[in-house]
Amino acid sequence: MRGTTTIALAALAAAVLLAPGPAGGSTVAAPPAPAAADGGADWTFMIYGVLDTDNVADVLTQDLASLTSLPDTDSVNVVALVDMPEQGEPGYPSQPLPGLAPFTTAKLLQLDDGRWNEIRDLGEISMGRADTLSDFIEEAADRFPADEYALTLMDHGGGRYGGYWDTGAPGTQNLTIPAMREGLLSGLQRSGIARFDVLFHAACLMSNYETASALAPAATYMAGSEELMFANPLAADGMLPLADDADPQALADSLVDGYGRYLDQLAQQPGGQQIRDLAAMSVVDGDQMALLDTALQSFSDVAVAHMDEIAVQVARARSAALEFVTSLDDSGGVPYDLVDLGDFLRHLTDVPDDVAVARDAAYAALGNAVSHQLTGVGTQQATGLNVYLPTAADARYAQDYFEPGVAPQGWGDFVKAFLESSRQQGGQGSGSAVGFTSQQATVLQADQSGIKIAGQLSSGDSSQVTDSQTQVVTRIGGVDDALGVVLPAYLDAGGQGQVQGVWDYSLTVLTDGTKEVAGTSVYQAQAGGLLGSLFAQYTSPDGDTSDVAVRLLLSSEGDIQSVQVVDVSNGGASAAGVSLEPGGTLTPYVYAASFSGYTSQLSSQSIAVSDQLAVSFSRLPAGTPFTMGVVVADVAGNSDGSYVTEQVR
């Protein structure tokens, strides 16, 4: 692994300035509330802005401010319900919306004359309630009738967990998938609107099968992201087709492409390239979702009937498929377990003929449902919708998934059968279904360039392996027996049942050009390269602390292509970008060996945040002792390893 890449200190703060709107900050008296438009417009574009939540109000306020650059036209209404946090809370807007004084309540706003104009103040409300969403839709449609309607939901997103968390007064609440569906359908019914023409999720992870299936009756086209979104999710130029009375599909495509152009600009800024590299946006045709539901129900029916014989293949396909916000689950929160639906189906092989036929039909139906995509170099295999597929080890987090309104029936039956079969197979006999013939690995090659080891599985066990890793344990950060790095291992390399691991003696480090501080890093294969994470505690100059993940995208040759810093201080439940300030510090987390596996603790060393801060790879000194092993797991999550103790050459 090679290369050194500077970590941007304020990449996201700079990025939102790429498309600035008119300067805000002046206190302007609100005009009288407008009467309903005479005769209606071509489009009414509604924005449901849940800004009263962690660390989004400032960047999303700047996003909304950028919309004031849109041309004024009588044929388009832009109306927003925006709820702000209390002043002094982290992320409170550094500048007010153009045309308004700072506020901390929820306000109904209209975009007109290059500024935001207050219609009325709703006080403290919960934007995480279905009835609040329904009320907004009804009032916006009543005040601003139009031929066509679009709705943007703006805040954190969580895939199958829903999104749009309001953490302020009167209490924390979010729009689960059933709550979103209830709020949308109720608002549409009360407004006399058959369906939204476009629904845009300006939030992370919401191009999600469970969400799209539930909301298809409420929207003709649904646009959003399978991965994280950053800073400026609703790009002003993506809305420009509204003025030309664009058809719904063209508008949905433009919202995705507008964000893509913003990412292209962001990629030119320090720290912005990986955000572009990991983009995975899509547009879904709501009219095609019923056919996809039917195809996945048929796939589930035959797959469930064969589950005991294909559970290993399912687990292998899940392990090989493109996974979103991968490695962020290690931050201690509830895991996302979101994989790309089509990529999973592509990797599901060696199954009975009837399962293969149903799999192919489901894949074709997915292709018909996804009408437009935008991907990056790290997400080239994305097919447009992520889906929840937990591992056996994460089964304890899946119970609420089977509650009414969350999992579509077909896919829910498939997930339940997979987890149950995995549990039963793990309970048969004792120990793991996979094991090495010896706990002592063989050194195949060791020189100054690195080391290659191999472990031999027992006869027939290769077919039961669902995941494999290379693990290196050494002393880092003042911790003996610390997990230094986790890399992929290679099954059946060099012969049937042989598992090989390769390491070049380097660890992932944070550096200021003089000092280097290592932490535990975990790498997984993705799009022909590796995607890795190193977790650290960030301490701001004011002494506030938060947990962050430094994400690295590596090429197939091991070169650093891009680096991204993500705030995971809430356990990754709503990962967001973070700006590192000079004068702060980063202290990596180190995973120390314990009786129960590995536990995280802070390194004894920290690195100061400065404009020289970078992430790099540092080769351990010759003579440094380490233990290296190849580890495999079965469908139930049981594991076994084969190890060797060596020294750096």
Side-chain angles (χ1 to χ4, degrees):
M1 296 184 288
R2 305 184 297 270
T4 299
T5 299
T6 301
I7 297 176
L9 302 188
L12 298 183
V16 295
L17 301 178
L18 293 174
S26 58
T27 302
V28 181
D38 294 332
D42 292 334
W43 277 93
T44 289
F45 193 97
M46 306 179 194
I47 302 172
Y48 192 74
V50 189
L51 277 60
D52 192 1
T53 189
D54 296 334
N55 299 316
V56 299
D58 191 22
V59 292
L60 293 185
T61 295
Q62 294 179 58
D63 191 358
L64 292 171
S66 74
L67 303 187
T68 59
S69 63
L70 289 168
D72 274 330
T73 172
D74 292 337
S75 63
V76 178
N77 303 308
V78 179
V79 57
L81 179 61
V82 179
D83 188 18
M84 289 289 188
E86 294 297 318
Q87 291 185 352
E89 290 188 7
Y92 186 83
S94 54
Q95 294 289 329
L97 286 170
L100 299 173
F103 62 96
T104 62
T105 54
K107 292 181 182 288
L108 186 65
L109 309 173
Q110 180 194 13
L111 183 63
D112 193 34
D113 292 331
R115 68 180 190 180
W116 287 99
N117 302 280
E118 180 178 333
I119 298 174
R120 70 185 186 97
D121 190 318
L122 283 70
E124 289 291 355
I125 61 174
S126 175
M127 299 277 282
R129 292 172 54 102
D131 56 352
T132 304
L133 175 59
S134 176
D135 291 345
F136 166 63
I137 293 169
E138 180 184 24
E139 181 170 3
D142 181 60
R143 288 179 178 271
F144 302 101
D147 296 331
E148 295 176 292
Y149 294 89
L151 172 66
T152 288
L153 302 174
M154 175 182 281
D155 181 30
H156 291 305
R160 71 92 162 174
Y161 297 103
Y164 315 108
W165 276 264
D166 186 336
T167 60
T172 297
Q173 198 163 359
N174 85 290
L175 290 172
T176 62
I177 292 176
M180 268 189 282
R181 178 184 169 97
E182 177 187 346
L184 288 171
L185 293 179
S186 172
L188 289 168
Q189 182 181 31
R190 291 162 58 186
S191 305
I193 302 171
R195 204 175 183 193
F196 279 106
D197 297 281
V198 176
L199 172 63
F200 180 51
H201 294 280
C204 302
L205 308 176
M206 296 307 292
S207 277
N208 163 255
Y209 168 59
E210 292 86 349
T211 303
S213 176
L215 303 189
T220 304
Y221 290 96
M222 296 170 282
S225 173
E226 290 189 77
E227 246 279 359
L228 301 182
M229 295 187 78
F230 285 85
N232 203 32
L234 182 57
D237 68 342
M239 296 172 60
L240 289 175
L242 288 167
D244 297 326
D245 192 18
D247 67 75
Q249 183 173 2
L251 175 61
D253 291 355
S254 182
L255 291 172
V256 165
D257 294 340
Y259 180 67
R261 288 188 292 272
Y262 163 71
L263 293 185
D264 289 338
Q265 292 178 304
L266 186 58
Q268 306 305 312
Q269 307 297 318
Q273 184 61 51
Q274 192 186 45
I275 300 174
R276 180 63 184 89
D277 290 345
L278 294 179
M281 302 287 293
S282 65
V283 176
V284 175
D285 184 343
D287 290 336
Q288 293 291 324
M289 284 305 300
L291 296 176
L292 177 57
D293 289 337
T294 299
L296 283 173
Q297 178 70 67
S298 298
F299 165 74
S300 173
D301 290 343
V302 294
V304 168
H306 290 282
M307 188 56 73
D308 287 344
E309 59 184 293
I310 69 168
V312 171
Q313 284 75 18
V314 171
R316 282 185 165 184
R318 189 224 176 276
S319 179
L322 176 63
E323 185 172 2
F324 298 101
V325 292
T326 181
S327 296
L328 295 188
D329 299 342
D330 294 333
S331 60
V334 175
Y336 289 105
D337 284 319
L338 295 173
V339 299
D340 184 83
L341 174 57
D343 201 36
F344 164 75
L345 293 172
R346 271 195 298 243
H347 281 94
L348 184 61
T349 58
D350 299 324
V351 293
D353 289 345
D354 54 347
V355 177
V357 169
R359 173 204 62 201
D360 292 346
Y363 187 86
L366 173 64
N368 291 332
V370 176
S371 61
H372 183 62
Q373 282 189 265
L374 182 147
T375 60
V377 297
T379 56
Q380 295 174 27
Q381 66 268 53
T383 58
L385 286 173
N386 66 45
V387 71
Y388 181 65
L389 184 54
T391 63
D394 292 340
R396 64 188 184 278
Y397 300 111
Q399 296 310 307
D400 64 325
Y401 182 68
F402 305 110
E403 294 177 358
V406 179
Q409 183 174 346
W411 188 259
D413 291 344
F414 174 77
V415 172
K416 185 179 293 185
F418 168 63
L419 294 177
E420 178 61 21
S421 180
S422 299
R423 184 189 65 80
Q424 290 178 353
Q425 292 188 36
Q428 294 173 358
S430 60
S432 174
V434 293
F436 288 95
T437 58
S438 172
Q439 301 300 298
Q440 181 68 38
T442 301
V443 177
L444 300 179
Q445 177 183 339
D447 54 29
Q448 291 183 346
S449 66
I451 181 171
K452 179 193 291 187
I453 68 170
Q456 182 64 45
L457 292 169
S458 299
S459 178
D461 283 6
S462 176
S463 64
Q464 300 301 310
V465 172
T466 61
D467 194 18
S468 56
Q469 294 181 342
T470 300
Q471 298 181 359
V472 176
V473 175
T474 188
R475 177 178 172 82
I476 57 173
V479 179
D480 293 322
D481 297 327
L483 187 61
V485 63
V486 177
L487 297 163
Y490 304 96
L491 180 66
D492 295 333
Q496 183 69 27
Q498 188 175 108
V499 184
Q500 293 185 0
V502 180
W503 181 48
D504 64 358
Y505 305 134
S506 65
L507 298 178
T508 310
V509 298
L510 302 176
T511 178
D512 59 7
T514 302
K515 180 181 179 181
E516 295 179 342
V517 179
T520 299
S521 56
V522 179
Y523 290 88
Q524 295 171 297
Q526 182 157 334
L530 295 176
L531 179 65
S533 293
L534 178 150
F535 292 92
Q537 183 181 87
Y538 169 58
T539 303
S540 73
D542 296 330
D544 297 326
T545 61
S546 58
D547 287 340
V548 301
V550 180
R551 304 177 80 194
L552 300 85
L553 185 64
L554 308 186
S555 69
S556 57
E557 291 77 27
D559 295 319
I560 298 176
Q561 292 187 303
S562 51
V563 174
Q564 176 190 81
V565 181
V566 178
D567 186 342
V568 293
S569 52
N570 58 352
S574 52
V578 62
S579 293
L580 306 178
E581 300 178 50
T585 60
L586 283 172
T587 306
Y589 280 99
V590 175
Y591 286 73
S594 68
F595 289 110
S596 59
Y598 290 96
T599 57
S600 64
Q601 63 185 70
L602 287 171
S603 169
S604 60
Q605 297 178 298
S606 299
I607 196 86
V609 175
S610 70
D611 58 6
Q612 300 300 310
L613 180 65
V615 62
S616 186
F617 299 110
S618 179
R619 188 182 189 277
L620 291 176
T624 301
F626 64 88
T627 297
M628 180 177 175
V630 285
V631 179
V632 295
D634 64 14
V635 67
N638 300 312
S639 62
D640 193 27
S642 185
Y643 303 88
V644 63
T645 298
E646 271 284 344
Q647 292 184 348
V648 174
R649 305 295 173 95

